[in-house]
Amino acid sequence: MTREFRSLPVPEGLAGMRVDQALSKLLGLSRTVAADLAAAGDVTVDGKQVAKSDKLNDGSWLEVLLPEPQKPLLPKEELVEGMDILYSDDDVIAVNKPVGVAAHPTVGWEGPTVVGGLAAAGFRISTSGPPERNGIVQRLDVGTSGVMVVAASERGYSVLKRAFKERTVSKTYHALVQGHMDPLTGTIEAPIGRHPSSGWKFAVTSDGKHAVTHYETLEAFAEASLLEIHLETGRTHQIRVHMAALHHPCCGDPMYGSDPNLAKRLGLIRQWLHAVTLGFYHPADGRWMEITSPYPPDLQHALDVLRADNQ
């Protein structure tokens, strides 16, 4: 099996970080896998092999030969701390996905997954879809928290998969972004594709896929704004890319240009982005359902800091 090769610049937010730690953040690899790759000579910076403990410099060129995927790529069945079940029946399971949890297994990811956590908790998941993605009809980034739905039955998988494809699902997010939106309520319609010089991130590009984001300002602070966002499309990193393109990146998101000093003051070590509500027609009887997820403590703390400053 061919090993995948990645080539990318070191982003400003990871400057000074150890090689193994940076690879873990950038590519979702475990620290152990990243260290093994460095020891095997499969990691270079500006053309020179580096050790796991070497520090990265902003703008250096990082090249990595990823490990060969294991067969089969199946989830580890282990309980996921903080992953609450928001709703479940014979067709649908809705979870409150914590930050740091992947939807399903991917190459090099050794952390917790939603499907592995559900299996460990004794839930039946649809066997439809690829083995490593059984029951998965949508995904949230590892660094994004909130409500996520998984199909429990084959009927659930078929109906929900089609609903997401046909965009009949209502997806509502809350995002804390830097600065103030102008206008306070609006729509961003801009195509999204791979970043022209950084294959690990995305950007607004002329040849990208159609992407539409609707936003409304809920609360304005001196340095940031809390937005409610409705996605019409579901591109990878869509909210983060659209906000960064308008120079209002999500707070705590160095990959897309956030202010590290503000993130530190707010206690953020990840982007302030939360999937608040998911609305869909139930696969069995067609009734409209809306599942809501509360803010996790780290995001609530950031808001509390800003609100205190506003007083």
Side-chain angles (χ1 to χ4, degrees), residues 4-10 23 26-27 44 46-47 60-66 195-201:
E4 186 178 355
F5 180 77
R6 295 282 182 88
S7 179
L8 54 143
V10 176
L23 287 180
L26 278 174
L27 303 177
T44 64
D46 294 332
S60 294
W61 202 261
L62 179 66
E63 295 183 328
V64 184
L65 187 60
L66 292 175
H195 193 285
S197 61
S198 304
W200 46 273
K201 60 188 284 191

mmCIF file with all atom_site columns, all heavy atoms in Angstrom, residues 4-10 23 26-27 44 46-47 60-66 195-201:
data_model
loop_
_atom_site.group_PDB
_atom_site.id
_atom_site.type_symbol
_atom_site.label_atom_id
_atom_site.label_alt_id
_atom_site.label_comp_id
_atom_site.label_asym_id
_atom_site.label_entity_id
_atom_site.label_seq_id
_atom_site.pdbx_PDB_ins_code
_atom_site.Cartn_x
_atom_site.Cartn_y
_atom_site.Cartn_z
_atom_site.occupancy
_atom_site.B_iso_or_equiv
_atom_site.pdbx_formal_charge
_atom_site.auth_seq_id
_atom_site.auth_comp_id
_atom_site.auth_asym_id
_atom_site.auth_atom_id
_atom_site.pdbx_PDB_model_num
ATOM 1   N N   . GLU A 1 4   ? 1.194  7.946  2.088  1.00 0.00 ? 4   GLU A N   1
ATOM 2   C CA  . GLU A 1 4   ? 0.828  9.297  1.671  1.00 0.00 ? 4   GLU A CA  1
ATOM 3   C C   . GLU A 1 4   ? 1.908  10.291 2.083  1.00 0.00 ? 4   GLU A C   1
ATOM 4   O O   . GLU A 1 4   ? 2.500  10.198 3.154  1.00 0.00 ? 4   GLU A O   1
ATOM 5   C CB  . GLU A 1 4   ? -0.499 9.694  2.313  1.00 0.00 ? 4   GLU A CB  1
ATOM 6   C CG  . GLU A 1 4   ? -1.038 11.035 1.834  1.00 0.00 ? 4   GLU A CG  1
ATOM 7   C CD  . GLU A 1 4   ? -2.387 11.366 2.452  1.00 0.00 ? 4   GLU A CD  1
ATOM 8   O OE1 . GLU A 1 4   ? -2.938 10.495 3.174  1.00 0.00 ? 4   GLU A OE1 1
ATOM 9   O OE2 . GLU A 1 4   ? -2.875 12.483 2.231  1.00 0.00 ? 4   GLU A OE2 1
ATOM 10  N N   . PHE A 1 5   ? 2.179  11.268 1.188  1.00 0.00 ? 5   PHE A N   1
ATOM 11  C CA  . PHE A 1 5   ? 3.208  12.274 1.422  1.00 0.00 ? 5   PHE A CA  1
ATOM 12  C C   . PHE A 1 5   ? 2.552  13.629 1.622  1.00 0.00 ? 5   PHE A C   1
ATOM 13  O O   . PHE A 1 5   ? 1.651  14.008 0.869  1.00 0.00 ? 5   PHE A O   1
ATOM 14  C CB  . PHE A 1 5   ? 4.162  12.322 0.224  1.00 0.00 ? 5   PHE A CB  1
ATOM 15  C CG  . PHE A 1 5   ? 5.269  13.339 0.353  1.00 0.00 ? 5   PHE A CG  1
ATOM 16  C CD1 . PHE A 1 5   ? 6.362  13.092 1.160  1.00 0.00 ? 5   PHE A CD1 1
ATOM 17  C CD2 . PHE A 1 5   ? 5.208  14.537 -0.344 1.00 0.00 ? 5   PHE A CD2 1
ATOM 18  C CE1 . PHE A 1 5   ? 7.380  14.021 1.277  1.00 0.00 ? 5   PHE A CE1 1
ATOM 19  C CE2 . PHE A 1 5   ? 6.228  15.467 -0.243 1.00 0.00 ? 5   PHE A CE2 1
ATOM 20  C CZ  . PHE A 1 5   ? 7.314  15.208 0.573  1.00 0.00 ? 5   PHE A CZ  1
ATOM 21  N N   . ARG A 1 6   ? 2.954  14.366 2.658  1.00 0.00 ? 6   ARG A N   1
ATOM 22  C CA  . ARG A 1 6   ? 2.428  15.703 2.915  1.00 0.00 ? 6   ARG A CA  1
ATOM 23  C C   . ARG A 1 6   ? 3.564  16.722 2.896  1.00 0.00 ? 6   ARG A C   1
ATOM 24  O O   . ARG A 1 6   ? 4.638  16.471 3.454  1.00 0.00 ? 6   ARG A O   1
ATOM 25  C CB  . ARG A 1 6   ? 1.729  15.770 4.278  1.00 0.00 ? 6   ARG A CB  1
ATOM 26  C CG  . ARG A 1 6   ? 0.481  14.922 4.391  1.00 0.00 ? 6   ARG A CG  1
ATOM 27  C CD  . ARG A 1 6   ? -0.710 15.558 3.715  1.00 0.00 ? 6   ARG A CD  1
ATOM 28  N NE  . ARG A 1 6   ? -1.905 14.741 3.877  1.00 0.00 ? 6   ARG A NE  1
ATOM 29  C CZ  . ARG A 1 6   ? -2.727 14.838 4.908  1.00 0.00 ? 6   ARG A CZ  1
ATOM 30  N NH1 . ARG A 1 6   ? -2.495 15.721 5.860  1.00 0.00 ? 6   ARG A NH1 1
ATOM 31  N NH2 . ARG A 1 6   ? -3.796 14.065 4.983  1.00 0.00 ? 6   ARG A NH2 1
ATOM 32  N N   . SER A 1 7   ? 3.302  17.868 2.267  1.00 0.00 ? 7   SER A N   1
ATOM 33  C CA  . SER A 1 7   ? 4.281  18.943 2.184  1.00 0.00 ? 7   SER A CA  1
ATOM 34  C C   . SER A 1 7   ? 3.572  20.248 2.517  1.00 0.00 ? 7   SER A C   1
ATOM 35  O O   . SER A 1 7   ? 2.589  20.604 1.862  1.00 0.00 ? 7   SER A O   1
ATOM 36  C CB  . SER A 1 7   ? 4.888  18.998 0.781  1.00 0.00 ? 7   SER A CB  1
ATOM 37  O OG  . SER A 1 7   ? 5.824  20.047 0.676  1.00 0.00 ? 7   SER A OG  1
ATOM 38  N N   . LEU A 1 8   ? 4.047  20.986 3.532  1.00 0.00 ? 8   LEU A N   1
ATOM 39  C CA  . LEU A 1 8   ? 3.333  22.176 3.986  1.00 0.00 ? 8   LEU A CA  1
ATOM 40  C C   . LEU A 1 8   ? 4.254  23.123 4.750  1.00 0.00 ? 8   LEU A C   1
ATOM 41  O O   . LEU A 1 8   ? 5.260  22.694 5.313  1.00 0.00 ? 8   LEU A O   1
ATOM 42  C CB  . LEU A 1 8   ? 2.164  21.790 4.897  1.00 0.00 ? 8   LEU A CB  1
ATOM 43  C CG  . LEU A 1 8   ? 2.489  20.909 6.095  1.00 0.00 ? 8   LEU A CG  1
ATOM 44  C CD1 . LEU A 1 8   ? 1.640  21.336 7.278  1.00 0.00 ? 8   LEU A CD1 1
ATOM 45  C CD2 . LEU A 1 8   ? 2.207  19.446 5.810  1.00 0.00 ? 8   LEU A CD2 1
ATOM 46  N N   . PRO A 1 9   ? 3.910  24.426 4.757  1.00 0.00 ? 9   PRO A N   1
ATOM 47  C CA  . PRO A 1 9   ? 4.697  25.377 5.549  1.00 0.00 ? 9   PRO A CA  1
ATOM 48  C C   . PRO A 1 9   ? 4.303  25.319 7.017  1.00 0.00 ? 9   PRO A C   1
ATOM 49  O O   . PRO A 1 9   ? 3.171  24.965 7.344  1.00 0.00 ? 9   PRO A O   1
ATOM 50  C CB  . PRO A 1 9   ? 4.321  26.730 4.932  1.00 0.00 ? 9   PRO A CB  1
ATOM 51  C CG  . PRO A 1 9   ? 2.930  26.525 4.443  1.00 0.00 ? 9   PRO A CG  1
ATOM 52  C CD  . PRO A 1 9   ? 2.852  25.090 3.997  1.00 0.00 ? 9   PRO A CD  1
ATOM 53  N N   . VAL A 1 10  ? 5.231  25.677 7.877  1.00 0.00 ? 10  VAL A N   1
ATOM 54  C CA  . VAL A 1 10  ? 4.935  25.728 9.308  1.00 0.00 ? 10  VAL A CA  1
ATOM 55  C C   . VAL A 1 10  ? 4.137  27.000 9.591  1.00 0.00 ? 10  VAL A C   1
ATOM 56  O O   . VAL A 1 10  ? 4.625  28.099 9.329  1.00 0.00 ? 10  VAL A O   1
ATOM 57  C CB  . VAL A 1 10  ? 6.228  25.727 10.147 1.00 0.00 ? 10  VAL A CB  1
ATOM 58  C CG1 . VAL A 1 10  ? 5.906  25.886 11.631 1.00 0.00 ? 10  VAL A CG1 1
ATOM 59  C CG2 . VAL A 1 10  ? 7.017  24.448 9.902  1.00 0.00 ? 10  VAL A CG2 1
ATOM 60  N N   . LEU A 1 23  ? 3.319  17.986 14.650 1.00 0.00 ? 23  LEU A N   1
ATOM 61  C CA  . LEU A 1 23  ? 2.709  17.007 13.747 1.00 0.00 ? 23  LEU A CA  1
ATOM 62  C C   . LEU A 1 23  ? 1.401  16.487 14.318 1.00 0.00 ? 23  LEU A C   1
ATOM 63  O O   . LEU A 1 23  ? 0.450  16.228 13.579 1.00 0.00 ? 23  LEU A O   1
ATOM 64  C CB  . LEU A 1 23  ? 3.680  15.840 13.509 1.00 0.00 ? 23  LEU A CB  1
ATOM 65  C CG  . LEU A 1 23  ? 4.894  16.127 12.625 1.00 0.00 ? 23  LEU A CG  1
ATOM 66  C CD1 . LEU A 1 23  ? 5.747  14.876 12.498 1.00 0.00 ? 23  LEU A CD1 1
ATOM 67  C CD2 . LEU A 1 23  ? 4.470  16.609 11.244 1.00 0.00 ? 23  LEU A CD2 1
ATOM 68  N N   . LEU A 1 26  ? -1.117 19.357 13.634 1.00 0.00 ? 26  LEU A N   1
ATOM 69  C CA  . LEU A 1 26  ? -1.363 19.621 12.221 1.00 0.00 ? 26  LEU A CA  1
ATOM 70  C C   . LEU A 1 26  ? -2.065 18.479 11.504 1.00 0.00 ? 26  LEU A C   1
ATOM 71  O O   . LEU A 1 26  ? -2.972 18.689 10.695 1.00 0.00 ? 26  LEU A O   1
ATOM 72  C CB  . LEU A 1 26  ? -0.037 19.893 11.498 1.00 0.00 ? 26  LEU A CB  1
ATOM 73  C CG  . LEU A 1 26  ? 0.554  21.301 11.594 1.00 0.00 ? 26  LEU A CG  1
ATOM 74  C CD1 . LEU A 1 26  ? 1.914  21.330 10.936 1.00 0.00 ? 26  LEU A CD1 1
ATOM 75  C CD2 . LEU A 1 26  ? -0.369 22.313 10.943 1.00 0.00 ? 26  LEU A CD2 1
ATOM 76  N N   . LEU A 1 27  ? -1.623 17.250 11.792 1.00 0.00 ? 27  LEU A N   1
ATOM 77  C CA  . LEU A 1 27  ? -2.063 16.104 11.000 1.00 0.00 ? 27  LEU A CA  1
ATOM 78  C C   . LEU A 1 27  ? -2.903 15.099 11.779 1.00 0.00 ? 27  LEU A C   1
ATOM 79  O O   . LEU A 1 27  ? -3.320 14.084 11.218 1.00 0.00 ? 27  LEU A O   1
ATOM 80  C CB  . LEU A 1 27  ? -0.835 15.395 10.402 1.00 0.00 ? 27  LEU A CB  1
ATOM 81  C CG  . LEU A 1 27  ? 0.086  16.275 9.543  1.00 0.00 ? 27  LEU A CG  1
ATOM 82  C CD1 . LEU A 1 27  ? 1.296  15.483 9.083  1.00 0.00 ? 27  LEU A CD1 1
ATOM 83  C CD2 . LEU A 1 27  ? -0.671 16.831 8.333  1.00 0.00 ? 27  LEU A CD2 1
ATOM 84  N N   . THR A 1 44  ? 11.176 15.939 7.363  1.00 0.00 ? 44  THR A N   1
ATOM 85  C CA  . THR A 1 44  ? 12.233 16.896 7.037  1.00 0.00 ? 44  THR A CA  1
ATOM 86  C C   . THR A 1 44  ? 11.699 18.314 7.155  1.00 0.00 ? 44  THR A C   1
ATOM 87  O O   . THR A 1 44  ? 10.509 18.569 6.946  1.00 0.00 ? 44  THR A O   1
ATOM 88  C CB  . THR A 1 44  ? 12.783 16.685 5.615  1.00 0.00 ? 44  THR A CB  1
ATOM 89  O OG1 . THR A 1 44  ? 11.742 16.931 4.661  1.00 0.00 ? 44  THR A OG1 1
ATOM 90  C CG2 . THR A 1 44  ? 13.312 15.267 5.434  1.00 0.00 ? 44  THR A CG2 1
ATOM 91  N N   . ASP A 1 46  ? 12.790 22.044 5.645  1.00 0.00 ? 46  ASP A N   1
ATOM 92  C CA  . ASP A 1 46  ? 13.656 22.702 4.657  1.00 0.00 ? 46  ASP A CA  1
ATOM 93  C C   . ASP A 1 46  ? 14.671 21.719 4.074  1.00 0.00 ? 46  ASP A C   1
ATOM 94  O O   . ASP A 1 46  ? 15.858 22.043 3.873  1.00 0.00 ? 46  ASP A O   1
ATOM 95  C CB  . ASP A 1 46  ? 14.373 23.901 5.287  1.00 0.00 ? 46  ASP A CB  1
ATOM 96  C CG  . ASP A 1 46  ? 13.397 25.015 5.680  1.00 0.00 ? 46  ASP A CG  1
ATOM 97  O OD1 . ASP A 1 46  ? 12.331 25.110 5.035  1.00 0.00 ? 46  ASP A OD1 1
ATOM 98  O OD2 . ASP A 1 46  ? 13.693 25.762 6.615  1.00 0.00 ? 46  ASP A OD2 1
ATOM 99  N N   . GLY A 1 47  ? 14.201 20.489 3.851  1.00 0.00 ? 47  GLY A N   1
ATOM 100 C CA  . GLY A 1 47  ? 15.032 19.478 3.197  1.00 0.00 ? 47  GLY A CA  1
ATOM 101 C C   . GLY A 1 47  ? 15.962 18.709 4.103  1.00 0.00 ? 47  GLY A C   1
ATOM 102 O O   . GLY A 1 47  ? 16.666 17.799 3.647  1.00 0.00 ? 47  GLY A O   1
ATOM 103 N N   . SER A 1 60  ? 9.094  27.773 7.763  1.00 0.00 ? 60  SER A N   1
ATOM 104 C CA  . SER A 1 60  ? 9.904  26.654 7.270  1.00 0.00 ? 60  SER A CA  1
ATOM 105 C C   . SER A 1 60  ? 9.015  25.662 6.542  1.00 0.00 ? 60  SER A C   1
ATOM 106 O O   . SER A 1 60  ? 7.811  25.581 6.779  1.00 0.00 ? 60  SER A O   1
ATOM 107 C CB  . SER A 1 60  ? 10.617 25.953 8.435  1.00 0.00 ? 60  SER A CB  1
ATOM 108 O OG  . SER A 1 60  ? 11.562 26.800 9.037  1.00 0.00 ? 60  SER A OG  1
ATOM 109 N N   . TRP A 1 61  ? 9.618  24.885 5.641  1.00 0.00 ? 61  TRP A N   1
ATOM 110 C CA  . TRP A 1 61  ? 8.838  23.936 4.846  1.00 0.00 ? 61  TRP A CA  1
ATOM 111 C C   . TRP A 1 61  ? 8.958  22.540 5.452  1.00 0.00 ? 61  TRP A C   1
ATOM 112 O O   . TRP A 1 61  ? 10.043 21.997 5.585  1.00 0.00 ? 61  TRP A O   1
ATOM 113 C CB  . TRP A 1 61  ? 9.302  23.921 3.397  1.00 0.00 ? 61  TRP A CB  1
ATOM 114 C CG  . TRP A 1 61  ? 8.223  23.400 2.501  1.00 0.00 ? 61  TRP A CG  1
ATOM 115 C CD1 . TRP A 1 61  ? 8.104  22.140 2.012  1.00 0.00 ? 61  TRP A CD1 1
ATOM 116 C CD2 . TRP A 1 61  ? 7.085  24.127 2.037  1.00 0.00 ? 61  TRP A CD2 1
ATOM 117 N NE1 . TRP A 1 61  ? 6.959  22.037 1.261  1.00 0.00 ? 61  TRP A NE1 1
ATOM 118 C CE2 . TRP A 1 61  ? 6.309  23.235 1.252  1.00 0.00 ? 61  TRP A CE2 1
ATOM 119 C CE3 . TRP A 1 61  ? 6.629  25.431 2.205  1.00 0.00 ? 61  TRP A CE3 1
ATOM 120 C CZ2 . TRP A 1 61  ? 5.123  23.616 0.648  1.00 0.00 ? 61  TRP A CZ2 1
ATOM 121 C CZ3 . TRP A 1 61  ? 5.446  25.806 1.598  1.00 0.00 ? 61  TRP A CZ3 1
ATOM 122 C CH2 . TRP A 1 61  ? 4.718  24.903 0.817  1.00 0.00 ? 61  TRP A CH2 1
ATOM 123 N N   . LEU A 1 62  ? 7.804  22.003 5.832  1.00 0.00 ? 62  LEU A N   1
ATOM 124 C CA  . LEU A 1 62  ? 7.746  20.712 6.516  1.00 0.00 ? 62  LEU A CA  1
ATOM 125 C C   . LEU A 1 62  ? 7.266  19.642 5.546  1.00 0.00 ? 62  LEU A C   1
ATOM 126 O O   . LEU A 1 62  ? 6.265  19.828 4.845  1.00 0.00 ? 62  LEU A O   1
ATOM 127 C CB  . LEU A 1 62  ? 6.793  20.821 7.696  1.00 0.00 ? 62  LEU A CB  1
ATOM 128 C CG  . LEU A 1 62  ? 6.535  19.578 8.555  1.00 0.00 ? 62  LEU A CG  1
ATOM 129 C CD1 . LEU A 1 62  ? 7.801  19.163 9.289  1.00 0.00 ? 62  LEU A CD1 1
ATOM 130 C CD2 . LEU A 1 62  ? 5.424  19.865 9.545  1.00 0.00 ? 62  LEU A CD2 1
ATOM 131 N N   . GLU A 1 63  ? 7.995  18.522 5.485  1.00 0.00 ? 63  GLU A N   1
ATOM 132 C CA  . GLU A 1 63  ? 7.605  17.403 4.627  1.00 0.00 ? 63  GLU A CA  1
ATOM 133 C C   . GLU A 1 63  ? 7.552  16.127 5.455  1.00 0.00 ? 63  GLU A C   1
ATOM 134 O O   . GLU A 1 63  ? 8.470  15.835 6.232  1.00 0.00 ? 63  GLU A O   1
ATOM 135 C CB  . GLU A 1 63  ? 8.582  17.245 3.456  1.00 0.00 ? 63  GLU A CB  1
ATOM 136 C CG  . GLU A 1 63  ? 8.546  18.437 2.497  1.00 0.00 ? 63  GLU A CG  1
ATOM 137 C CD  . GLU A 1 63  ? 9.456  18.249 1.308  1.00 0.00 ? 63  GLU A CD  1
ATOM 138 O OE1 . GLU A 1 63  ? 10.517 17.590 1.450  1.00 0.00 ? 63  GLU A OE1 1
ATOM 139 O OE2 . GLU A 1 63  ? 9.122  18.744 0.213  1.00 0.00 ? 63  GLU A OE2 1
ATOM 140 N N   . VAL A 1 64  ? 6.453  15.379 5.294  1.00 0.00 ? 64  VAL A N   1
ATOM 141 C CA  . VAL A 1 64  ? 6.217  14.197 6.119  1.00 0.00 ? 64  VAL A CA  1
ATOM 142 C C   . VAL A 1 64  ? 5.740  13.044 5.242  1.00 0.00 ? 64  VAL A C   1
ATOM 143 O O   . VAL A 1 64  ? 4.840  13.209 4.412  1.00 0.00 ? 64  VAL A O   1
ATOM 144 C CB  . VAL A 1 64  ? 5.137  14.476 7.191  1.00 0.00 ? 64  VAL A CB  1
ATOM 145 C CG1 . VAL A 1 64  ? 4.984  13.268 8.109  1.00 0.00 ? 64  VAL A CG1 1
ATOM 146 C CG2 . VAL A 1 64  ? 5.464  15.714 7.981  1.00 0.00 ? 64  VAL A CG2 1
ATOM 147 N N   . LEU A 1 65  ? 6.348  11.889 5.438  1.00 0.00 ? 65  LEU A N   1
ATOM 148 C CA  . LEU A 1 65  ? 5.875  10.661 4.799  1.00 0.00 ? 65  LEU A CA  1
ATOM 149 C C   . LEU A 1 65  ? 5.035  9.936  5.846  1.00 0.00 ? 65  LEU A C   1
ATOM 150 O O   . LEU A 1 65  ? 5.558  9.425  6.837  1.00 0.00 ? 65  LEU A O   1
ATOM 151 C CB  . LEU A 1 65  ? 7.051  9.790  4.354  1.00 0.00 ? 65  LEU A CB  1
ATOM 152 C CG  . LEU A 1 65  ? 6.701  8.537  3.525  1.00 0.00 ? 65  LEU A CG  1
ATOM 153 C CD1 . LEU A 1 65  ? 5.981  8.921  2.230  1.00 0.00 ? 65  LEU A CD1 1
ATOM 154 C CD2 . LEU A 1 65  ? 7.961  7.732  3.218  1.00 0.00 ? 65  LEU A CD2 1
ATOM 155 N N   . LEU A 1 66  ? 3.721  9.930  5.637  1.00 0.00 ? 66  LEU A N   1
ATOM 156 C CA  . LEU A 1 66  ? 2.803  9.395  6.639  1.00 0.00 ? 66  LEU A CA  1
ATOM 157 C C   . LEU A 1 66  ? 2.921  7.877  6.750  1.00 0.00 ? 66  LEU A C   1
ATOM 158 O O   . LEU A 1 66  ? 3.310  7.205  5.784  1.00 0.00 ? 66  LEU A O   1
ATOM 159 C CB  . LEU A 1 66  ? 1.370  9.770  6.283  1.00 0.00 ? 66  LEU A CB  1
ATOM 160 C CG  . LEU A 1 66  ? 1.033  11.266 6.390  1.00 0.00 ? 66  LEU A CG  1
ATOM 161 C CD1 . LEU A 1 66  ? -0.383 11.524 5.888  1.00 0.00 ? 66  LEU A CD1 1
ATOM 162 C CD2 . LEU A 1 66  ? 1.171  11.740 7.814  1.00 0.00 ? 66  LEU A CD2 1
ATOM 163 N N   . HIS A 1 195 ? -5.981 25.342 0.125  1.00 0.00 ? 195 HIS A N   1
ATOM 164 C CA  . HIS A 1 195 ? -5.128 26.525 0.108  1.00 0.00 ? 195 HIS A CA  1
ATOM 165 C C   . HIS A 1 195 ? -4.044 26.339 -0.948 1.00 0.00 ? 195 HIS A C   1
ATOM 166 O O   . HIS A 1 195 ? -3.437 25.274 -1.038 1.00 0.00 ? 195 HIS A O   1
ATOM 167 C CB  . HIS A 1 195 ? -4.509 26.719 1.501  1.00 0.00 ? 195 HIS A CB  1
ATOM 168 C CG  . HIS A 1 195 ? -3.868 28.053 1.701  1.00 0.00 ? 195 HIS A CG  1
ATOM 169 N ND1 . HIS A 1 195 ? -2.657 28.383 1.148  1.00 0.00 ? 195 HIS A ND1 1
ATOM 170 C CD2 . HIS A 1 195 ? -4.287 29.155 2.388  1.00 0.00 ? 195 HIS A CD2 1
ATOM 171 C CE1 . HIS A 1 195 ? -2.342 29.616 1.494  1.00 0.00 ? 195 HIS A CE1 1
ATOM 172 N NE2 . HIS A 1 195 ? -3.317 30.111 2.242  1.00 0.00 ? 195 HIS A NE2 1
ATOM 173 N N   . PRO A 1 196 ? -3.777 27.360 -1.764 1.00 0.00 ? 196 PRO A N   1
ATOM 174 C CA  . PRO A 1 196 ? -2.823 27.191 -2.866 1.00 0.00 ? 196 PRO A CA  1
ATOM 175 C C   . PRO A 1 196 ? -1.407 26.816 -2.450 1.00 0.00 ? 196 PRO A C   1
ATOM 176 O O   . PRO A 1 196 ? -0.687 26.175 -3.217 1.00 0.00 ? 196 PRO A O   1
ATOM 177 C CB  . PRO A 1 196 ? -2.844 28.565 -3.566 1.00 0.00 ? 196 PRO A CB  1
ATOM 178 C CG  . PRO A 1 196 ? -3.431 29.514 -2.563 1.00 0.00 ? 196 PRO A CG  1
ATOM 179 C CD  . PRO A 1 196 ? -4.381 28.703 -1.749 1.00 0.00 ? 196 PRO A CD  1
ATOM 180 N N   . SER A 1 197 ? -1.006 27.198 -1.229 1.00 0.00 ? 197 SER A N   1
ATOM 181 C CA  . SER A 1 197 ? 0.362  26.878 -0.806 1.00 0.00 ? 197 SER A CA  1
ATOM 182 C C   . SER A 1 197 ? 0.422  26.041 0.461  1.00 0.00 ? 197 SER A C   1
ATOM 183 O O   . SER A 1 197 ? 1.505  25.679 0.909  1.00 0.00 ? 197 SER A O   1
ATOM 184 C CB  . SER A 1 197 ? 1.159  28.178 -0.581 1.00 0.00 ? 197 SER A CB  1
ATOM 185 O OG  . SER A 1 197 ? 0.561  28.968 0.426  1.00 0.00 ? 197 SER A OG  1
ATOM 186 N N   . SER A 1 198 ? -0.719 25.735 1.041  1.00 0.00 ? 198 SER A N   1
ATOM 187 C CA  . SER A 1 198 ? -0.756 24.939 2.278  1.00 0.00 ? 198 SER A CA  1
ATOM 188 C C   . SER A 1 198 ? -1.829 23.875 2.148  1.00 0.00 ? 198 SER A C   1
ATOM 189 O O   . SER A 1 198 ? -3.003 24.122 2.425  1.00 0.00 ? 198 SER A O   1
ATOM 190 C CB  . SER A 1 198 ? -1.053 25.846 3.483  1.00 0.00 ? 198 SER A CB  1
ATOM 191 O OG  . SER A 1 198 ? -0.114 26.889 3.579  1.00 0.00 ? 198 SER A OG  1
ATOM 192 N N   . GLY A 1 199 ? -1.429 22.679 1.726  1.00 0.00 ? 199 GLY A N   1
ATOM 193 C CA  . GLY A 1 199 ? -2.392 21.630 1.437  1.00 0.00 ? 199 GLY A CA  1
ATOM 194 C C   . GLY A 1 199 ? -3.185 21.143 2.620  1.00 0.00 ? 199 GLY A C   1
ATOM 195 O O   . GLY A 1 199 ? -4.202 20.483 2.466  1.00 0.00 ? 199 GLY A O   1
ATOM 196 N N   . TRP A 1 200 ? -2.740 21.484 3.843  1.00 0.00 ? 200 TRP A N   1
ATOM 197 C CA  . TRP A 1 200 ? -3.415 21.012 5.061  1.00 0.00 ? 200 TRP A CA  1
ATOM 198 C C   . TRP A 1 200 ? -4.527 21.955 5.504  1.00 0.00 ? 200 TRP A C   1
ATOM 199 O O   . TRP A 1 200 ? -5.243 21.665 6.447  1.00 0.00 ? 200 TRP A O   1
ATOM 200 C CB  . TRP A 1 200 ? -2.395 20.851 6.179  1.00 0.00 ? 200 TRP A CB  1
ATOM 201 C CG  . TRP A 1 200 ? -1.471 22.027 6.283  1.00 0.00 ? 200 TRP A CG  1
ATOM 202 C CD1 . TRP A 1 200 ? -0.316 22.206 5.595  1.00 0.00 ? 200 TRP A CD1 1
ATOM 203 C CD2 . TRP A 1 200 ? -1.639 23.185 7.085  1.00 0.00 ? 200 TRP A CD2 1
ATOM 204 N NE1 . TRP A 1 200 ? 0.247  23.411 5.912  1.00 0.00 ? 200 TRP A NE1 1
ATOM 205 C CE2 . TRP A 1 200 ? -0.545 24.033 6.828  1.00 0.00 ? 200 TRP A CE2 1
ATOM 206 C CE3 . TRP A 1 200 ? -2.607 23.598 8.004  1.00 0.00 ? 200 TRP A CE3 1
ATOM 207 C CZ2 . TRP A 1 200 ? -0.380 25.270 7.452  1.00 0.00 ? 200 TRP A CZ2 1
ATOM 208 C CZ3 . TRP A 1 200 ? -2.456 24.834 8.628  1.00 0.00 ? 200 TRP A CZ3 1
ATOM 209 C CH2 . TRP A 1 200 ? -1.359 25.650 8.341  1.00 0.00 ? 200 TRP A CH2 1
ATOM 210 N N   . LYS A 1 201 ? -4.668 23.107 4.830  1.00 0.00 ? 201 LYS A N   1
ATOM 211 C CA  . LYS A 1 201 ? -5.727 24.031 5.202  1.00 0.00 ? 201 LYS A CA  1
ATOM 212 C C   . LYS A 1 201 ? -6.522 24.435 3.959  1.00 0.00 ? 201 LYS A C   1
ATOM 213 O O   . LYS A 1 201 ? -6.168 24.050 2.839  1.00 0.00 ? 201 LYS A O   1
ATOM 214 C CB  . LYS A 1 201 ? -5.172 25.253 5.922  1.00 0.00 ? 201 LYS A CB  1
ATOM 215 C CG  . LYS A 1 201 ? -4.190 26.072 5.105  1.00 0.00 ? 201 LYS A CG  1
ATOM 216 C CD  . LYS A 1 201 ? -3.520 27.161 5.939  1.00 0.00 ? 201 LYS A CD  1
ATOM 217 C CE  . LYS A 1 201 ? -4.434 28.342 6.194  1.00 0.00 ? 201 LYS A CE  1
ATOM 218 N NZ  . LYS A 1 201 ? -3.687 29.495 6.784  1.00 0.00 ? 201 LYS A NZ  1
#
